[in-house]
Amino acid sequence: MTHSFALHIPDADLEPEPLAPEQIVSGNPAVTGKVVWESPDGRQLRGIWQITPGVVTDTEADEMFVVVSGSATIEVEGGPTLTVGPGDMAVLRAGDRTTWTVHETLRKAYAITL
């Protein structure tokens, strides 16, 4: 996408993004998402991501996100535990190892730098 745009995040159609089985700690979480903008060099991404309830692990990229709906607790290994819900902004650092406990289906808008 080369032009400025606006997108209503709560109604955006998302595509399945399968989790690796080793990431799932408990439950049956499902992930969907959509990249809405990518820099020409592929190092910056803007998009929408959603996960249903369950517990998963991840290794993070440099990311800033804002929760649109839902809630989760994000434990950062060797760091803080973040509790996020609608309207909350969070910042994760590249290499952070996290455990996400998703209480209610969480949808976020994100900006990632690779």
Side-chain angles (χ1 to χ4, degrees), residues 13-84:
D13 290 328
L14 307 179
E15 299 292 326
E17 295 182 0
L19 286 165
E22 61 271 12
Q23 288 184 269
I24 300 171
V25 175
S26 68
N28 190 25
V31 172
T32 53
K34 180 177 188 173
V35 174
V36 298
W37 179 86
E38 183 175 341
S39 64
D41 65 2
R43 297 196 64 229
Q44 295 183 38
L45 305 170
R46 308 294 183 256
I48 302 165
W49 186 83
Q50 180 171 288
I51 185 169
T52 62
V55 180
V56 298
T57 60
D58 200 9
T59 301
E60 304 296 338
D62 278 325
E63 177 180 5
M64 185 280 296
F65 66 86
V66 175
V67 177
V68 176
S69 59
S71 64
T73 302
I74 307 163
E75 297 175 54
V76 180
E77 186 177 288
T81 296
L82 312 174
T83 302
V84 297

Side-chain angles (χ1 to χ4, degrees), residues 17 92 94 101:
E17 295 182 0
L92 299 170
T101 301

